[in-house]
Amino acid sequence: MNVLVIGANGQVGHQIVNLLHDRKEHSVKALVRKEEQAAELADKGIESVVASLEDSVETLSSAIEGSDAIIFAAGSGGSTGSDKTLLVDLDGAVKTMEAAEKLGVKRYVMVSAHQAHNRENWSEALMPYYAAKHYADKILEQSSLDYTIVRPGGLLNEEGTGHVSIAENLKRGSVSREDVANVIVASLLNENTIRRSFDLISGEDSIENAIASL
Amino acid sequence: MNVLVIGANGQVGHQIVNLLHDRKEHSVKALVRKEEQAAELADKGIESVVASLEDSVETLSSAIEGSDAIIFAAGSGGSTGSDKTLLVDLDGAVKTMEAAEKLGVKRYVMVSAHQAHNRENWSEALMPYYAAKHYADKILEQSSLDYTIVRPGGLLNEEGTGHVSIAENLKRGSVSREDVANVIVASLLNENTIRRSFDLISGEDSIENAIASL
């Protein structure tokens, strides 16, 4: 399977790319925004393609072409304004879905945010971000794609435990980026997660069991 | 018919309220954000309800209850940031759609923006606004509501001519707010516009003929 990781320069995206690259079962390509990011990846033997989520659907289609699956791990980040939240986290994401549909790339795994589907649980400090993720997820759920939407809690830079809790609705919690990356890769490879959306926090179940019991 | 105008204090919303009030065939209620706006309307004999589009779906449901039709003419405006664009123009609008669906209020007329459905025609200076309108319209089109989406060109404060051009795709143009208000009211009252979306600029056809020939 040829897997394209969008937002490969982000903290979670980066770990996903490394995981897939190390496992060698699948071919991984990183979509990054800058040439220097592509050069760094090339040094590690990782293939990449340079494009921006603010580019057109046509440009993004060229970047996506040849992939069998997409992992969307991009985010405009906290240092830009809500204009970028709208144009990257929402519209940018939806453009990649439209490109995937046009190209017939069916599999699409989205890194979302804990409880993005429930307005009452959006973090007061991050309301625009949650709204953008909410609508990107909603459009994905209404698409023809074989989606999985993973909604992790507060992201930590700790080492992963390999043990998590996943369910449609979970109380507020946190989870290491390493565990998130592992859940994303496990979701991609498990058909049980197709057309499913779930919260993810650290927990007691092995990642394998957590996904199998969805 | 009991018609609720959301964003009744805006320039287009204000004209829609006055039109419906003057015609007297239908009962009009204005949804406004501030008590003083409600007091001003009361002085003119116009009923209103105070609520914010940043309120919950439940609060908005209470404000909408008893209405037979909704006209959405609200906008966060150019003086606020893109955070409000996301939370008012997009999420606020969608919350009123959800409330309408829950209450069984079927008719919903949206004031959108020229070519909001075509990314390539979004104004460079207003990209986040267009993105918000685009997704609000998209969610409305996917709802169970009897919607009409009117996408006017550049809004002018000139007197209306009563003559317009409407079609699914029109070249860039402008139109007076008075004509927009008249098209909105005519659309509300004409079943021909149900589940239709169209651009609107000034033109040669009478409003009645333009709508009849949709």
Side-chain angles (χ1 to χ4, degrees):
Chain A
M1 190 157 64
N2 293 319
V3 184
L4 179 73
V5 180
I6 300 178
N9 203 54
Q11 291 188 76
V12 170
H14 183 71
Q15 296 206 36
I16 294 168
V17 169
N18 287 343
L19 269 175
L20 286 166
H21 182 67
D22 292 348
R23 286 174 66 136
K24 296 185 172 53
E25 295 154 65
H26 303 281
S27 156
V28 61
K29 187 155 82 172
L31 188 147
V32 291
R33 207 156 40 90
K34 297 177 185 165
E35 291 292 350
E36 61 255 39
Q37 294 163 348
E40 272 176 44
L41 287 161
D43 288 345
K44 295 185 203 160
I46 296 169
E47 200 191 341
S48 63
V49 55
V50 177
S52 160
L53 290 166
E54 295 185 71
D55 288 340
S56 67
V57 174
E58 290 63 36
T59 301
L60 289 165
S61 293
S62 304
I64 290 169
E65 200 158 17
S67 306
D68 304 303
I70 292 170
I71 296 174
F72 188 94
S76 61
S79 62
T80 58
S82 292
D83 52 337
K84 296 295 178 194
T85 308
L86 249 168
L87 297 176
V88 174
D89 302 84
L90 173 52
D91 197 41
V94 174
K95 283 186 285 189
T96 66
M97 296 168 202
E98 290 177 14
E101 283 186 310
K102 275 186 194 169
L103 294 165
V105 180
K106 292 290 283 180
R107 194 71 174 104
Y108 194 108
V109 182
M110 168 63 86
V111 184
S112 182
H114 181 255
Q115 290 287 303
H117 61 312
N118 284 329
R119 273 188 205 98
E120 57 266 40
N121 295 331
W122 294 356
S123 152
E124 193 66 43
L126 295 170
M127 292 284 279
Y129 175 72
Y130 274 88
K133 296 303 282 180
H134 174 73
Y135 288 102
D137 292 355
K138 211 170 166 96
I139 302 284
L140 181 55
E141 288 174 337
Q142 287 165 346
S143 76
S144 63
L145 301 173
D146 287 343
Y147 68 82
T148 302
I149 299 172
V150 181
R151 299 185 300 246
L155 299 170
L156 305 174
N157 279 332
E158 291 168 9
E159 210 176 315
T161 63
H163 287 75
V164 297
S165 193
I166 69 180
E168 203 180 325
N169 290 292
L170 288 171
K171 63 176 186 347
R172 207 164 185 72
S174 59
V175 58
S176 77
R177 287 184 167 88
E178 187 180 341
D179 284 333
V180 174
N182 274 299
V183 168
I184 293 291
V185 172
S187 296
L188 172 72
L189 304 176
N190 192 321
E191 294 203 345
N192 194 34
T193 67
I194 289 177
R195 300 196 76 79
R196 304 294 292 271
S197 307
F198 51 84
D199 284 348
L200 161 66
I201 57 174
S202 63
E204 301 296 322
D205 302 324
S206 71
I207 288 173
E208 194 183 329
N209 285 347
I211 284 178
S213 65
L214 253 181
Chain B
M1 188 158 65
N2 293 319
V3 183
L4 180 72
V5 180
I6 300 178
N9 203 56
Q11 292 187 78
V12 171
H14 184 70
Q15 296 206 37
I16 294 168
V17 168
N18 288 341
L19 270 176
L20 285 166
H21 182 67
D22 292 348
R23 287 173 66 136
K24 294 185 172 55
E25 295 153 64
H26 303 280
S27 155
V28 60
K29 188 155 80 174
L31 188 147
V32 290
R33 205 157 40 90
K34 295 177 184 166
E35 291 291 350
E36 60 257 39
Q37 294 163 346
E40 272 175 44
L41 288 161
D43 288 345
K44 297 184 202 160
I46 296 168
E47 200 190 343
S48 63
V49 55
V50 178
S52 160
L53 289 166
E54 294 185 72
D55 289 339
S56 67
V57 174
E58 290 63 36
T59 301
L60 290 165
S61 293
S62 304
I64 290 168
E65 199 158 18
S67 305
D68 303 304
I70 293 170
I71 296 173
F72 188 95
S76 60
S79 62
T80 58
S82 291
D83 53 336
K84 296 296 178 194
T85 308
L86 249 168
L87 297 176
V88 173
D89 301 83
L90 173 52
D91 196 41
V94 175
K95 283 187 285 188
T96 65
M97 295 168 202
E98 291 177 14
E101 283 187 309
K102 274 188 196 169
L103 293 165
V105 179
K106 291 290 282 180
R107 194 71 174 104
Y108 194 107
V109 182
M110 169 63 86
V111 183
S112 182
H114 180 255
Q115 289 288 304
H117 61 313
N118 283 331
R119 271 188 207 99
E120 56 266 40
N121 294 330
W122 294 356
S123 151
E124 194 65 43
L126 294 170
M127 293 284 278
Y129 175 72
Y130 273 88
K133 295 303 282 179
H134 174 74
Y135 288 102
D137 292 356
K138 211 171 166 97
I139 302 283
L140 182 54
E141 287 174 339
Q142 288 166 346
S143 76
S144 63
L145 300 173
D146 286 344
Y147 68 81
T148 303
I149 299 173
V150 181
R151 298 184 300 246
L155 299 171
L156 305 174
N157 279 333
E158 291 168 8
E159 211 176 315
T161 63
H163 288 76
V164 297
S165 193
I166 67 180
E168 202 181 325
N169 291 291
L170 288 171
K171 62 176 188 344
R172 206 162 186 74
S174 59
V175 58
S176 76
R177 288 186 167 87
E178 187 179 342
D179 284 333
V180 175
N182 273 299
V183 168
I184 293 290
V185 171
S187 296
L188 172 73
L189 304 176
N190 192 321
E191 293 203 347
N192 195 33
T193 67
I194 289 178
R195 302 196 75 80
R196 303 295 291 271
S197 308
F198 51 85
D199 284 349
L200 161 66
I201 58 174
S202 63
E204 301 297 320
D205 302 324
S206 71
I207 288 172
E208 196 182 329
N209 286 348
I211 284 177
S213 65
L214 253 182

